[in-house]
Coordinates of all heavy atoms in Angstrom, one line a residue:
M1 N 25.5 2.4 -12.1 CA 24.7 1.9 -11.1 C 23.4 2.7 -10.8 O 23.5 3.9 -10.7 CB 25.5 1.7 -9.7 CG 24.8 1.1 -8.7 SD 26.1 0.8 -7.4 CE 24.9 0.5 -6.1
K2 N 22.3 2.1 -10.8 CA 21.0 2.9 -10.4 C 21.0 3.2 -9.1 O 21.3 2.5 -8.2 CB 19.8 2.1 -10.9 CG 19.6 2.0 -12.3 CD 18.4 1.1 -12.6 CE 18.0 1.0 -14.1 NZ 16.8 0.4 -14.3
S3 N 20.4 4.5 -8.7 CA 20.1 4.7 -7.3 C 18.9 3.9 -6.8 O 18.0 3.6 -7.8 CB 19.9 6.3 -7.3 OG 18.6 6.7 -7.8
R4 N 18.7 3.9 -5.6 CA 17.5 3.2 -5.1 C 16.2 3.8 -5.6 O 15.2 3.1 -5.8 CB 17.6 3.1 -3.6 CG 16.5 2.4 -2.9 CD 17.0 1.8 -1.6 NE 16.1 1.1 -0.8 CZ 15.9 -0.1 -0.9 NH1 16.5 -0.8 -1.9 NH2 15.0 -0.8 -0.2
N5 N 16.2 5.1 -5.7 CA 14.8 5.9 -6.1 C 14.6 5.7 -7.6 O 13.4 5.8 -7.8 CB 15.0 7.3 -5.7 CG 15.2 7.5 -4.3 OD1 14.6 6.8 -3.4 ND2 15.7 8.7 -3.9
S6 N 15.5 5.2 -8.3 CA 15.1 5.1 -9.8 C 15.0 3.6 -10.2 O 14.7 3.3 -11.4 CB 16.3 5.6 -10.6 OG 17.5 4.8 -10.5
R7 N 14.9 2.7 -9.2 CA 14.7 1.3 -9.5 C 13.3 1.1 -10.0 O 12.3 1.8 -9.7 CB 15.1 0.4 -8.4 CG 14.1 0.6 -7.2 CD 14.7 -0.5 -6.1 NE 13.9 -0.3 -4.9 CZ 12.8 -0.9 -4.7 NH1 12.3 -1.8 -5.5 NH2 12.1 -0.7 -3.6
T8 N 13.1 0.1 -10.7 CA 11.8 -0.3 -11.1 C 11.0 -1.1 -10.1 O 11.7 -1.9 -9.3 CB 12.0 -1.4 -12.4 OG1 12.7 -0.8 -13.4 CG2 10.7 -1.8 -13.0
P9 N 9.8 -0.7 -9.8 CA 8.9 -1.3 -8.8 C 9.0 -3.0 -9.0 O 8.9 -3.4 -10.1 CB 7.8 -0.7 -8.8 CG 7.7 0.4 -9.8 CD 9.0 0.2 -10.4
T10 N 9.0 -3.7 -7.9 CA 8.9 -5.1 -8.1 C 7.3 -5.4 -8.2 O 6.4 -4.6 -8.0 CB 9.2 -5.9 -6.8 OG1 8.4 -5.4 -5.7 CG2 10.8 -5.4 -6.3
Q11 N 7.1 -6.7 -8.7 CA 5.8 -7.2 -8.9 C 4.9 -7.0 -7.7 O 3.8 -6.7 -7.6 CB 5.8 -8.6 -9.4 CG 6.2 -8.8 -10.8 CD 5.9 -10.3 -11.1 OE1 6.2 -11.1 -10.5 NE2 5.6 -10.5 -12.5
I12 N 5.6 -7.3 -6.4 CA 4.9 -7.3 -5.2 C 4.5 -5.7 -4.9 O 3.5 -5.5 -4.5 CB 5.7 -8.0 -4.0 CG1 5.9 -9.4 -4.4 CG2 5.1 -7.6 -2.7 CD1 6.8 -10.2 -3.4
E13 N 5.4 -4.8 -5.2 CA 5.1 -3.5 -4.9 C 3.9 -3.0 -5.8 O 3.1 -2.2 -5.2 CB 6.4 -2.6 -5.1 CG 7.4 -2.9 -4.0 CD 8.8 -2.2 -4.5 OE1 9.0 -2.0 -5.6 OE2 9.6 -1.8 -3.6
V14 N 4.0 -3.4 -6.9 CA 3.0 -2.9 -7.9 C 1.6 -3.6 -7.5 O 0.5 -3.0 -7.5 CB 3.3 -3.3 -9.4 CG1 2.1 -3.1 -10.3 CG2 4.5 -2.5 -9.9
A15 N 1.6 -4.9 -7.1 CA 0.4 -5.6 -6.7 C -0.1 -4.9 -5.3 O -1.4 -4.8 -5.3 CB 0.9 -7.0 -6.4
R16 N 0.9 -4.4 -4.4 CA 0.3 -3.6 -3.3 C -0.4 -2.4 -3.6 O -1.4 -2.0 -3.1 CB 1.5 -3.5 -2.3 CG 1.8 -4.7 -1.5 CD 2.8 -4.5 -0.4 NE 3.0 -5.7 0.3 CZ 4.2 -6.3 0.6 NH1 5.2 -5.6 0.2 NH2 4.3 -7.4 1.2
Q17 N 0.2 -1.8 -4.7 CA -0.5 -0.5 -5.2 C -1.9 -0.8 -5.8 O -2.8 0.1 -5.4 CB 0.4 0.2 -6.3 CG 1.8 0.7 -5.7 CD 2.8 1.2 -6.8 OE1 2.5 1.2 -7.9 NE2 3.9 1.6 -6.4
V18 N -2.0 -1.8 -6.4 CA -3.2 -2.3 -6.9 C -4.2 -2.4 -5.8 O -5.4 -2.0 -5.8 CB -3.2 -3.5 -7.7 CG1 -4.7 -4.0 -8.1 CG2 -2.4 -3.2 -9.1
A19 N -3.8 -3.1 -4.7 CA -4.6 -3.4 -3.6 C -4.9 -2.1 -2.8 O -6.1 -1.9 -2.4 CB -4.0 -4.4 -2.6
L20 N -4.0 -1.3 -2.7 CA -4.3 0.0 -1.9 C -5.2 0.9 -2.8 O -6.1 1.6 -2.3 CB -3.1 0.8 -1.6 CG -2.1 0.1 -0.6 CD1 -0.8 0.6 -0.3 CD2 -2.9 0.0 0.8
G21 N -5.1 0.9 -4.1 CA -6.0 1.5 -5.0 C -7.4 1.0 -4.8 O -8.4 1.8 -4.7
A22 N -7.6 -0.3 -4.7 CA -8.9 -0.9 -4.5 C -9.4 -0.4 -3.1 O -10.7 -0.1 -3.1 CB -8.8 -2.3 -4.6
L23 N -8.7 -0.4 -2.1 CA -9.1 0.1 -0.8 C -9.5 1.6 -0.9 O -10.6 2.0 -0.4 CB -8.0 -0.1 0.2 CG -8.4 0.6 1.5 CD1 -9.6 -0.2 2.1 CD2 -7.1 0.3 2.6
S24 N -8.8 2.4 -1.6 CA -9.1 3.7 -1.9 C -10.6 4.0 -2.5 O -11.3 4.7 -2.2 CB -8.0 4.5 -2.6 OG -7.5 5.5 -1.9
F25 N -10.5 3.1 -3.5 CA -11.9 3.1 -4.3 C -13.1 2.7 -3.5 O -14.1 3.4 -3.5 CB -11.7 2.0 -5.4 CG -13.0 1.9 -6.2 CD1 -13.5 2.7 -7.2 CD2 -13.7 0.6 -6.0 CE1 -14.5 2.5 -7.9 CE2 -14.8 0.5 -6.8 CZ -15.3 1.3 -7.7
L26 N -12.9 1.7 -2.7 CA -14.0 1.4 -1.9 C -14.4 2.3 -0.8 O -15.4 2.8 -0.5 CB -13.7 0.1 -1.1 CG -13.8 -1.3 -2.0 CD1 -13.4 -2.6 -1.1 CD2 -15.1 -1.5 -2.6
A27 N -13.2 2.9 -0.1 CA -13.4 4.0 0.9 C -14.0 5.2 0.4 O -14.5 6.0 1.2 CB -12.1 4.1 1.5
G28 N -13.9 5.5 -0.9 CA -14.4 6.8 -1.4 C -15.9 6.7 -1.5 O -16.5 7.9 -1.9
D29 N -16.6 5.8 -1.3 CA -18.1 5.7 -1.3 C -18.6 4.8 -0.2 O -18.3 3.6 -0.1 CB -18.5 5.2 -2.7 CG -19.9 5.2 -2.9 OD1 -20.7 5.2 -1.9 OD2 -20.3 5.0 -4.1
P30 N -19.4 5.4 0.8 CA -19.9 4.6 1.9 C -20.7 3.5 1.4 O -20.8 2.4 2.1 CB -20.9 5.6 2.5 CG -20.4 7.0 2.2 CD -19.8 6.8 0.8
E31 N -21.3 3.5 0.2 CA -22.1 2.4 -0.3 C -21.2 1.2 -0.8 O -21.7 0.1 -1.1 CB -23.2 2.8 -1.4 CG -24.1 3.7 -0.9 CD -25.2 4.1 -2.0 OE1 -25.3 3.3 -3.0 OE2 -26.0 5.2 -1.7
R32 N -20.0 1.5 -1.1 CA -19.1 0.5 -1.6 C -18.2 -0.1 -0.3 O -18.1 -1.2 -0.2 CB -18.0 1.0 -2.4 CG -18.7 1.4 -3.9 CD -17.6 1.5 -4.9 NE -16.8 2.7 -4.7 CZ -16.6 3.8 -5.5 NH1 -17.4 3.9 -6.6 NH2 -15.9 4.8 -5.2
I33 N -17.9 0.8 0.6 CA -17.0 0.3 1.8 C -18.0 -0.3 2.8 O -17.5 -1.3 3.4 CB -16.2 1.5 2.4 CG1 -15.1 1.0 3.3 CG2 -17.1 2.5 3.1 CD1 -14.1 0.2 2.8
G34 N -19.1 0.0 3.0 CA -20.1 -0.5 4.0 C -20.2 -2.0 3.9 O -19.9 -2.7 4.9
P35 N -20.6 -2.5 2.7 CA -20.7 -4.1 2.6 C -19.3 -4.6 2.8 O -19.5 -5.9 3.4 CB -21.2 -4.2 1.2 CG -22.0 -2.9 0.9 CD -21.1 -1.9 1.5
F36 N -18.2 -4.2 2.4 CA -17.0 -4.9 2.5 C -16.7 -4.9 4.1 O -16.3 -5.9 4.5 CB -15.9 -4.0 1.8 CG -14.6 -4.6 2.2 CD1 -14.1 -5.8 1.7 CD2 -13.6 -3.7 3.1 CE1 -12.8 -6.2 2.2 CE2 -12.5 -4.3 3.5 CZ -12.0 -5.5 2.9
L37 N -16.9 -3.7 4.8 CA -16.7 -3.8 6.2 C -17.6 -4.8 6.9 O -17.1 -5.6 7.8 CB -16.9 -2.4 6.9 CG -15.9 -1.4 6.5 CD1 -16.2 0.0 7.0 CD2 -14.4 -1.7 6.9
A38 N -19.0 -4.8 6.5 CA -19.7 -5.8 7.2 C -19.3 -7.3 7.0 O -19.4 -8.0 7.9 CB -21.1 -5.5 6.5
E39 N -19.0 -7.5 5.6 CA -18.5 -8.8 5.3 C -17.2 -9.2 6.0 O -17.0 -10.4 6.6 CB -18.3 -9.1 3.8 CG -18.2 -10.6 3.5 CD -18.2 -10.7 2.0 OE1 -19.2 -10.5 1.4 OE2 -17.2 -11.4 1.3
S40 N -16.3 -8.4 6.2 CA -15.0 -8.6 6.7 C -14.9 -8.7 8.2 O -14.1 -9.2 8.8 CB -13.9 -7.6 6.2 OG -14.2 -6.4 6.8
G41 N -16.1 -8.0 8.8 CA -16.1 -7.8 10.3 C -15.2 -6.7 10.8 O -15.0 -6.6 12.0
L42 N -14.6 -5.9 9.9 CA -13.7 -4.9 10.3 C -14.6 -3.6 10.5 O -15.6 -3.4 9.9 CB -12.6 -4.5 9.1 CG -11.6 -5.7 9.0 CD1 -11.0 -5.3 7.7 CD2 -10.8 -5.8 10.2
S43 N -14.1 -2.8 11.4 CA -14.6 -1.4 11.6 C -13.7 -0.5 10.8 O -12.6 -0.8 10.4 CB -14.7 -1.0 13.1 OG -13.3 -0.7 13.6
P44 N -14.3 0.8 10.5 CA -13.3 1.8 9.9 C -12.1 2.0 10.6 O -11.0 2.1 10.0 CB -14.3 3.1 9.9 CG -15.7 2.5 9.9 CD -15.6 1.4 10.7
A45 N -12.0 2.0 11.9 CA -10.9 2.2 12.9 C -9.9 1.0 12.5 O -8.7 1.3 12.6 CB -11.3 2.4 14.3
D46 N -10.4 -0.2 12.2 CA -9.6 -1.3 12.1 C -8.7 -1.2 10.9 O -7.6 -1.9 10.7 CB -10.3 -2.7 12.1 CG -11.1 -3.0 13.3 OD1 -10.6 -2.6 14.4 OD2 -12.2 -3.6 13.2
L47 N -9.1 -0.5 9.9 CA -8.5 -0.4 8.6 C -7.1 0.1 8.7 O -6.2 -0.5 8.0 CB -9.3 0.4 7.5 CG -10.6 -0.1 7.1 CD1 -11.3 0.7 6.3 CD2 -10.3 -1.6 6.4
R48 N -6.8 1.0 9.6 CA -5.5 1.5 9.7 C -4.6 0.4 10.0 O -3.4 0.2 9.6 CB -5.4 2.7 10.8 CG -5.4 4.0 10.1 CD -5.1 5.0 11.0 NE -5.8 6.1 10.5 CZ -6.5 7.1 11.0 NH1 -6.4 6.9 12.4 NH2 -7.0 8.2 10.5
G49 N -4.9 -0.5 11.0 CA -4.1 -1.4 11.5 C -3.8 -2.6 10.4 O -2.8 -3.3 10.6
V50 N -4.7 -2.9 9.6 CA -4.6 -4.0 8.7 C -4.2 -3.5 7.2 O -3.9 -4.4 6.4 CB -5.8 -4.9 8.6 CG1 -6.1 -5.5 10.0 CG2 -7.1 -4.1 8.0
A51 N -4.2 -2.3 7.0 CA -3.9 -1.8 5.6 C -2.7 -2.2 5.0 O -2.6 -2.3 3.7 CB -4.3 -0.2 5.5
G52 N -1.7 -2.4 5.8 CA -0.4 -2.8 5.5 C -0.2 -4.3 5.3 O 0.8 -4.8 4.7
S53 N -1.2 -5.0 5.7 CA -1.1 -6.4 5.6 C -1.3 -7.1 4.3 O -2.3 -6.8 3.7 CB -2.0 -7.0 6.7 OG -2.3 -8.5 6.6
T54 N -0.3 -8.0 4.0 CA -0.6 -8.7 2.7 C -1.8 -9.6 2.8 O -2.4 -9.6 1.7 CB 0.8 -9.6 2.4 OG1 1.9 -8.8 2.4 CG2 0.6 -10.3 1.1
A55 N -2.1 -10.2 3.9 CA -3.2 -11.1 3.9 C -4.6 -10.3 3.7 O -5.4 -10.7 3.1 CB -3.3 -11.7 5.3
F56 N -4.5 -9.1 4.2 CA -5.7 -8.1 4.1 C -5.8 -7.8 2.5 O -6.8 -7.7 2.1 CB -5.4 -6.8 4.9 CG -6.4 -5.9 4.7 CD1 -7.9 -5.9 5.0 CD2 -6.2 -4.7 3.9 CE1 -8.8 -5.0 4.8 CE2 -7.2 -3.7 3.5 CZ -8.5 -3.8 4.0
H57 N -4.7 -7.5 2.0 CA -4.7 -7.1 0.5 C -5.2 -8.2 -0.2 O -6.0 -8.0 -1.3 CB -3.3 -6.8 0.1 CG -2.7 -5.6 0.7 ND1 -1.4 -5.2 0.5 CD2 -3.2 -4.5 1.4 CE1 -1.1 -4.1 1.1 NE2 -2.3 -3.7 1.7
V58 N -4.8 -9.5 0.0 CA -5.4 -10.7 -0.7 C -6.9 -10.7 -0.4 O -7.7 -11.0 -1.4 CB -4.7 -11.9 -0.3 CG1 -5.4 -13.1 -0.9 CG2 -3.3 -11.9 -0.7
A59 N -7.4 -10.5 0.8 CA -8.7 -10.6 1.1 C -9.6 -9.5 0.4 O -10.6 -9.7 -0.1 CB -9.0 -10.5 2.6
L60 N -9.1 -8.3 0.3 CA -9.8 -7.1 -0.2 C -9.8 -7.5 -1.8 O -10.8 -7.3 -2.3 CB -8.9 -6.0 0.0 CG -9.2 -4.8 -0.7 CD1 -10.7 -4.2 -0.4 CD2 -8.2 -3.6 -0.6
L61 N -8.7 -7.9 -2.5 CA -8.8 -8.2 -3.8 C -9.8 -9.4 -4.3 O -10.5 -9.3 -5.1 CB -7.3 -8.5 -4.3 CG -6.5 -7.2 -4.3 CD1 -5.0 -7.5 -4.9 CD2 -7.1 -5.9 -5.1
D62 N -9.8 -10.4 -3.2 CA -10.8 -11.5 -3.4 C -12.1 -10.9 -3.5 O -13.0 -11.2 -4.3 CB -10.7 -12.4 -2.2 CG -9.6 -13.5 -2.5 OD1 -9.1 -13.7 -3.5 OD2 -9.2 -14.1 -1.4
Y63 N -12.4 -9.9 -2.5 CA -13.7 -9.3 -2.4 C -14.1 -8.6 -3.7 O -15.2 -8.7 -4.2 CB -13.8 -8.3 -1.2 CG -15.0 -7.6 -1.0 CD1 -16.1 -8.1 -0.3 CD2 -15.2 -6.3 -1.5 CE1 -17.3 -7.5 -0.3 CE2 -16.3 -5.6 -1.4 CZ -17.5 -6.2 -0.7 OH -18.6 -5.5 -0.5
M64 N -13.1 -7.9 -4.2 CA -13.3 -7.2 -5.5 C -13.7 -8.1 -6.8 O -14.6 -8.0 -7.4 CB -12.1 -6.3 -5.7 CG -11.8 -5.2 -4.8 SD -13.2 -3.9 -4.9 CE -12.8 -3.2 -6.3
I65 N -12.8 -9.1 -6.7 CA -12.9 -10.1 -7.9 C -14.1 -10.8 -7.9 O -14.8 -11.1 -8.9 CB -11.6 -11.0 -7.7 CG1 -10.4 -10.4 -8.1 CG2 -11.9 -12.3 -8.7 CD1 -9.1 -11.1 -7.8
N66 N -14.7 -11.1 -6.6 CA -16.0 -11.9 -6.5 C -17.2 -11.0 -6.7 O -18.4 -11.4 -6.7 CB -16.1 -12.4 -5.2 CG -15.2 -13.8 -5.1 OD1 -15.1 -14.4 -6.1 ND2 -14.5 -13.9 -4.0
R67 N -17.1 -9.7 -7.1 CA -18.1 -8.8 -7.3 C -17.8 -8.0 -8.7 O -17.1 -6.9 -8.6 CB -18.3 -7.6 -6.2 CG -19.0 -8.3 -5.0 CD -18.6 -7.9 -3.5 NE -19.1 -8.7 -2.5 CZ -18.4 -9.8 -2.2 NH1 -17.4 -10.2 -2.7 NH2 -19.1 -10.4 -1.2
Q68 N -18.2 -8.6 -9.7 CA -17.7 -8.2 -11.0 C -18.0 -6.6 -11.3 O -17.2 -6.1 -11.8 CB -18.3 -9.1 -12.1 CG -17.8 -8.8 -13.4 CD -18.4 -9.6 -14.5 OE1 -19.3 -10.3 -14.3 NE2 -17.8 -9.5 -15.7
E69 N -19.1 -6.2 -10.7 CA -19.4 -4.8 -10.9 C -18.4 -4.0 -10.3 O -18.0 -2.8 -10.8 CB -20.9 -4.5 -10.6 CG -21.1 -4.5 -9.1 CD -21.2 -5.9 -8.4 OE1 -21.3 -6.8 -9.1 OE2 -21.3 -5.9 -7.2
L70 N -18.0 -4.2 -9.1 CA -17.0 -3.4 -8.4 C -15.6 -3.5 -9.2 O -15.0 -2.5 -9.2 CB -16.9 -3.9 -6.9 CG -17.9 -3.4 -6.0 CD1 -17.7 -4.1 -4.6 CD2 -17.9 -1.9 -5.7
L71 N -15.3 -4.8 -9.5 CA -14.0 -5.0 -10.3 C -14.0 -4.2 -11.3 O -12.9 -3.5 -11.7 CB -13.9 -6.5 -10.5 CG -12.6 -6.9 -11.3 CD1 -11.4 -6.7 -10.7 CD2 -12.8 -8.4 -11.7
I72 N -15.0 -4.1 -12.4 CA -15.0 -3.5 -13.5 C -15.0 -2.0 -13.2 O -14.2 -1.2 -14.0 CB -16.2 -3.8 -14.3 CG1 -16.3 -5.2 -14.7 CG2 -16.3 -2.9 -15.6 CD1 -15.5 -5.8 -15.8
A73 N -15.7 -1.5 -12.2 CA -15.7 -0.1 -11.9 C -14.2 0.4 -11.4 O -13.9 1.5 -11.8 CB -16.7 0.2 -10.8
Y74 N -13.7 -0.5 -10.5 CA -12.4 0.0 -10.0 C -11.4 -0.1 -11.1 O -10.6 0.9 -11.3 CB -11.9 -1.0 -8.9 CG -10.4 -0.9 -8.6 CD1 -10.0 0.3 -8.1 CD2 -9.7 -1.9 -8.7 CE1 -8.5 0.6 -7.9 CE2 -8.1 -1.8 -8.5 CZ -7.8 -0.6 -8.1 OH -6.4 -0.5 -7.8
A75 N -11.4 -1.0 -12.0 CA -10.4 -1.1 -13.0 C -10.6 0.1 -14.0 O -9.6 0.8 -14.4 CB -10.6 -2.4 -13.7
G76 N -11.9 0.5 -14.2 CA -12.0 1.5 -15.1 C -11.6 2.8 -14.5 O -10.9 3.7 -15.2
E77 N -11.9 3.0 -13.2 CA -11.4 4.3 -12.6 C -9.8 4.4 -12.4 O -9.2 5.4 -12.7 CB -12.0 4.4 -11.2 CG -11.6 5.6 -10.4 CD -12.4 5.8 -9.2 OE1 -13.6 5.9 -9.1 OE2 -11.7 5.7 -8.1
A78 N -9.2 3.3 -12.2 CA -7.8 3.1 -12.0 C -7.1 3.1 -13.4 O -5.8 3.1 -13.5 CB -7.4 1.8 -11.2
E79 N -7.9 2.9 -14.5 CA -7.4 2.8 -15.8 C -6.4 1.6 -16.1 O -5.3 1.7 -16.6 CB -6.8 4.1 -16.3 CG -7.7 5.3 -16.4 CD -7.1 6.5 -16.9 OE1 -5.9 6.6 -17.0 OE2 -7.8 7.4 -17.1
I80 N -6.8 0.4 -15.5 CA -6.0 -0.8 -15.6 C -7.0 -1.9 -16.1 O -8.3 -1.8 -16.0 CB -5.4 -1.3 -14.3 CG1 -6.5 -1.6 -13.2 CG2 -4.4 -0.3 -13.7 CD1 -5.9 -2.1 -11.8
D81 N -6.4 -3.0 -16.6 CA -7.2 -4.0 -17.0 C -7.7 -4.9 -15.8 O -6.9 -5.1 -14.8 CB -6.3 -4.9 -17.8 CG -7.1 -6.2 -18.5 OD1 -7.5 -7.0 -17.7 OD2 -7.3 -6.1 -19.7
P82 N -9.0 -5.2 -15.7 CA -9.4 -6.2 -14.6 C -8.5 -7.3 -14.3 O -8.5 -7.7 -13.2 CB -10.8 -6.5 -15.0 CG -11.2 -5.6 -16.0 CD -10.1 -5.1 -16.8
G83 N -7.9 -7.8 -15.4 CA -7.0 -8.8 -15.1 C -5.8 -8.6 -14.3 O -5.2 -9.5 -13.8
H84 N -5.4 -7.2 -14.3 CA -4.4 -7.0 -13.5 C -4.7 -7.1 -11.9 O -3.8 -7.3 -11.1 CB -4.0 -5.5 -13.7 CG -3.3 -5.3 -15.1 ND1 -2.3 -6.1 -15.5 CD2 -3.4 -4.4 -16.0 CE1 -1.9 -5.7 -16.7 NE2 -2.6 -4.7 -17.1
V85 N -5.9 -6.9 -11.7 CA -6.5 -7.1 -10.2 C -6.3 -8.6 -9.9 O -5.8 -8.9 -8.8 CB -7.8 -6.6 -10.1 CG1 -8.5 -6.7 -8.7 CG2 -7.9 -5.1 -10.4
V86 N -6.7 -9.4 -10.8 CA -6.5 -10.9 -10.6 C -5.1 -11.2 -10.3 O -4.7 -11.8 -9.5 CB -7.3 -11.6 -11.6 CG1 -7.0 -13.1 -11.4 CG2 -8.8 -11.3 -11.7
A87 N -4.2 -10.7 -11.4 CA -2.8 -10.9 -11.2 C -2.2 -10.5 -9.9 O -1.4 -11.2 -9.2 CB -2.2 -10.4 -12.5
A88 N -2.6 -9.2 -9.4 CA -2.1 -8.7 -8.3 C -2.5 -9.6 -7.1 O -1.7 -9.8 -6.1 CB -2.6 -7.3 -8.0
R89 N -3.7 -10.2 -7.1 CA -4.1 -11.0 -6.0 C -3.3 -12.3 -5.9 O -2.8 -12.7 -4.8 CB -5.6 -11.4 -6.2 CG -6.2 -12.2 -5.1 CD -6.1 -13.6 -5.4 NE -6.8 -14.5 -4.3 CZ -6.4 -15.5 -3.9 NH1 -5.2 -16.1 -4.5 NH2 -6.9 -16.2 -2.9
E90 N -3.0 -12.8 -7.0 CA -2.1 -14.0 -7.0 C -0.6 -13.8 -6.6 O -0.1 -14.6 -5.9 CB -2.2 -14.5 -8.5 CG -3.5 -15.2 -9.0 CD -3.9 -16.3 -8.0 OE1 -3.2 -17.4 -7.7 OE2 -5.1 -16.3 -7.5
I91 N -0.1 -12.6 -7.1 CA 1.2 -12.2 -6.5 C 1.3 -12.1 -5.1 O 2.1 -12.6 -4.5 CB 1.7 -11.0 -7.3 CG1 1.9 -11.2 -8.8 CG2 2.8 -10.3 -6.7 CD1 2.0 -10.0 -9.7
L92 N 0.2 -11.4 -4.5 CA 0.3 -11.2 -3.1 C 0.0 -12.5 -2.3 O 0.6 -12.6 -1.3 CB -0.8 -10.0 -2.8 CG -0.3 -8.7 -3.2 CD1 -1.5 -7.8 -3.1 CD2 0.9 -8.2 -2.5
F93 N -0.9 -13.2 -2.9 CA -1.2 -14.6 -2.3 C 0.0 -15.3 -2.1 O 0.4 -15.9 -1.0 CB -2.2 -15.3 -3.0 CG -2.5 -16.8 -2.5 CD1 -3.3 -16.9 -1.2 CD2 -2.0 -17.8 -3.0 CE1 -3.5 -18.1 -0.8 CE2 -2.3 -19.1 -2.5 CZ -2.9 -19.2 -1.4
H94 N 0.9 -15.5 -3.1 CA 2.1 -16.3 -3.1 C 3.1 -15.7 -2.3 O 3.9 -16.4 -1.6 CB 2.6 -16.6 -4.5 CG 1.5 -17.6 -5.3 ND1 1.4 -18.8 -4.9 CD2 0.7 -17.4 -6.2 CE1 0.6 -19.4 -5.6 NE2 0.1 -18.6 -6.4
A95 N 3.1 -14.3 -2.3 CA 4.1 -13.5 -1.4 C 3.8 -13.8 0.0 O 4.7 -13.9 0.9 CB 4.1 -12.1 -1.7
D96 N 2.5 -13.7 0.4 CA 2.0 -13.9 1.8 C 2.5 -15.5 2.2 O 2.7 -15.7 3.4 CB 0.6 -13.7 1.9 CG 0.1 -13.6 3.3 OD1 0.8 -13.1 4.3 OD2 -1.0 -14.3 3.7
M97 N 2.3 -16.4 1.4 CA 2.6 -17.8 1.6 C 4.1 -17.9 2.0 O 4.3 -18.8 2.8 CB 2.3 -18.7 0.4 CG 0.9 -18.7 0.0 SD 0.0 -19.7 1.1 CE 0.6 -21.4 0.8
G98 N 5.0 -17.1 1.5 CA 6.4 -17.1 1.7 C 6.8 -16.4 3.0 O 8.0 -16.5 3.4
E99 N 5.9 -15.5 3.6 CA 6.2 -14.8 4.8 C 6.0 -15.7 6.0 O 5.3 -16.6 6.1 CB 5.4 -13.6 4.9 CG 5.6 -12.5 3.8 CD 4.5 -11.4 3.9 OE1 3.7 -11.3 4.8 OE2 4.7 -10.4 3.0
D100 N 6.9 -15.4 7.0 CA 6.8 -16.2 8.3 C 6.2 -15.2 9.3 O 6.3 -14.1 9.4 CB 8.2 -16.7 8.8 CG 8.7 -17.8 7.9 OD1 7.8 -18.7 7.5 OD2 9.8 -17.9 7.5

């Protein structure tokens, strides 16, 4: 029997890691995070409260996907295929639809 610590991450967990990586990527540069905050209406202080929200993760990944230059830059820095960002968004969107 596998211990809880050695289990394979679920698709949702991996998708959340992609979203949190994207948030870290944006937050690492004021020129990247500023437009996101302006468009979302969030303040830097608001990020702590929403960073764990699946709906926020979906919105964040939507923002990245709709800005190809950011998507490519993030994927390159994270060493993942840009398609993984799109897949993460879909996984989280459907997970959020199932939450009450």
Side-chain angles (χ1 to χ4, degrees):
M1 183 171 164
K2 287 186 176 182
S3 75
R4 186 161 179 80
N5 292 336
S6 67
R7 68 183 177 85
T8 304
T10 67
Q11 285 185 328
I12 293 172
E13 290 168 334
V14 172
R16 284 190 176 129
Q17 289 171 1
V18 170
L20 290 173
L23 177 58
S24 233
F25 172 77
L26 289 178
D29 182 341
E31 290 185 20
R32 291 191 297 241
I33 193 72
F36 172 72
L37 292 174
E39 186 171 309
S40 67
L42 296 169
S43 73
D46 295 331
L47 289 178
R48 260 192 208 136
V50 298
S53 160
T54 302
F56 172 75
H57 293 166
V58 171
L60 173 66
L61 294 178
D62 277 341
Y63 178 83
M64 297 289 289
I65 290 164
N66 289 318
R67 283 148 190 86
Q68 186 174 15
E69 70 285 351
L70 282 176
L71 175 63
I72 301 280
Y74 166 59
E77 186 174 292
E79 298 181 349
I80 60 175
D81 186 289
H84 291 312
V85 177
V86 176
R89 186 260 180 223
E90 289 301 308
I91 289 165
L92 293 170
F93 175 77
H94 292 290
D96 193 42
M97 296 285 292
E99 293 177 0
D100 290 321

